[in-house]
Amino acid sequence: MPVVHTRYVTYTAAGRRRHPGSSAADITPPFDNTVSSSPYTDWAPPTANWTDGDGVSHSANFAFWSVTGGADGAFVSTNPALSVPVGDTPIGVTAWYLPTGGDGIGEPGTYIDAFDVDVGDFFDDDFVSVAPDTDLSFNANELGLVPTRAPEQITAFASIGPRLLQSWQLLVVSPPGADSVNGAVLSTATKSMAVAFAFYQRPRGGSSIPKLDGRVYEAGVRIIFGVTADGGGLTDKGPVPPWEPLVRELANAMALAYAGRQGGAETRLAVVSAAAKQLGATAAKLGRAMVEEAKLGL
């Protein structure tokens, strides 16, 4: 009989996506249940109130469940009532809560972060570009905050390594209806306040990396070999500096664009447009990195 490991946690990385230690703090001690029937059910209270070990009172609102190990695979749900098909493997269920109150961020803005559904936790890879103020893209990825002094469009990358974008979830919006989601694009309104997470997941039953034609594959091998060799690889134009994460992002965007060309007209336009945005944002970061390294004489 499988065991269900249950946690009730608060998200602790608001305003800083580089999660030091953990992106979650337990509201109650984790506990295990042995289940003998399917489905396994649970329920998350809309609001959680507790006092920590220092005697400080806290309050948080339910955001979503994350589930790993279920018979139908990993998934997330914003429904407080949870139902998980049970198979033969251990199951992990986590109720994520967003803290209430606090001192705020000093100016209107939208908190963002990226969640790996298969792992059941947040991850730190760059995942968005911001427009029209493209200068906001760096802090959006580094700090998880996009100021809303003016309307902005926050576009989530269609793929990050083996993960594919599943959806944005707007979990908090003030005033109600101010921000909106259309596919990969989260649109913010002037002076709106929001919390939104982009959910990513590996496709079931196969790899997310499409096969490229020979020319693209050959070029990619030359570039990545150079990066792996820390600048000493055999490339067309000499050594390639060790910018591996950015090169990987470029390769993912190229792969996505080539895959999108195989679909119908509507799908092709949407996928290639998303890939183009990812290419542009990553190329801009790569350009800045090259200039900074040149300044330092590297």
Side-chain angles (χ1 to χ4, degrees):
M1 293 180 290
V3 173
V4 178
H5 182 69
T6 303
R7 297 180 67 193
Y8 289 79
V9 304
T10 56
Y11 175 76
T12 61
R16 49 180 178 83
R17 289 198 62 252
R18 303 307 176 195
H19 312 130
S22 176
S23 58
D26 287 300
I27 296 173
T28 61
F31 58 91
D32 293 339
N33 288 321
T34 300
V35 296
S36 56
S37 61
S38 183
Y40 169 78
T41 60
D42 205 339
W43 183 76
T47 301
N49 299 286
W50 73 101
T51 302
D52 64 24
D54 296 324
V56 178
S57 296
H58 299 271
S59 179
N61 293 330
F62 173 74
F64 64 96
W65 284 101
S66 65
V67 177
T68 60
D72 292 341
F75 67 93
V76 295
S77 173
T78 56
N79 187 342
L82 179 67
S83 178
V84 184
V86 177
D88 298 325
T89 59
I91 297 172
V93 298
T94 302
W96 291 85
Y97 283 76
L98 295 177
T100 60
D103 297 328
I105 58 177
E107 64 175 328
T110 295
Y111 287 114
I112 59 173
D113 212 334
F115 192 88
D116 188 321
V117 175
D118 294 307
V119 174
D121 205 351
F122 293 88
F123 63 95
D124 293 338
D125 301 58
D126 288 357
F127 73 110
V128 296
S129 60
V130 181
D133 189 348
T134 56
D135 290 340
L136 298 178
S137 295
F138 178 81
N139 278 345
N141 287 295
E142 188 71 15
L143 304 178
L145 175 62
V146 178
T148 53
R149 294 181 291 268
E152 302 290 347
Q153 287 194 330
I154 308 169
T155 301
F157 296 164
S159 64
I160 301 175
R163 313 176 190 97
L164 299 181
L165 176 67
Q166 302 300 304
S167 67
W168 276 107
Q169 289 289 337
L170 267 169
L171 301 169
V172 176
V173 185
S174 179
D179 291 5
S180 61
V181 170
N182 183 11
V185 180
L186 167 62
S187 297
T188 70
T190 302
K191 296 184 178 180
S192 65
M193 301 283 287
V195 177
F197 297 148
F199 290 90
Y200 285 82
Q201 189 170 19
R202 295 157 185 79
R204 298 176 186 176
S207 170
S208 66
I209 304 299
K211 293 183 178 180
L212 306 181
D213 67 34
R215 292 167 300 168
V216 177
Y217 178 79
E218 182 182 358
V221 167
R222 286 198 297 270
I223 293 172
I224 293 175
F225 183 85
V227 172
T228 304
D230 195 29
L234 301 175
T235 62
D236 288 40
K237 303 299 181 181
V240 178
W243 300 309
E244 185 173 357
L246 294 175
V247 172
R248 285 177 177 172
E249 288 185 29
L250 287 172
N252 289 337
M254 291 171 62
L256 182 66
Y258 271 79
R261 292 172 60 188
Q262 310 305 314
E266 184 175 352
T267 300
R268 181 168 60 249
L269 177 60
V271 173
V272 172
S273 295
K277 290 181 179 179
Q278 183 173 341
L279 274 169
T282 305
K285 289 188 292 183
L286 183 57
R288 290 193 294 268
M290 292 169 65
V291 170
E292 290 302 315
E293 288 195 0
K295 290 179 180 179
L296 297 173
L298 301 178

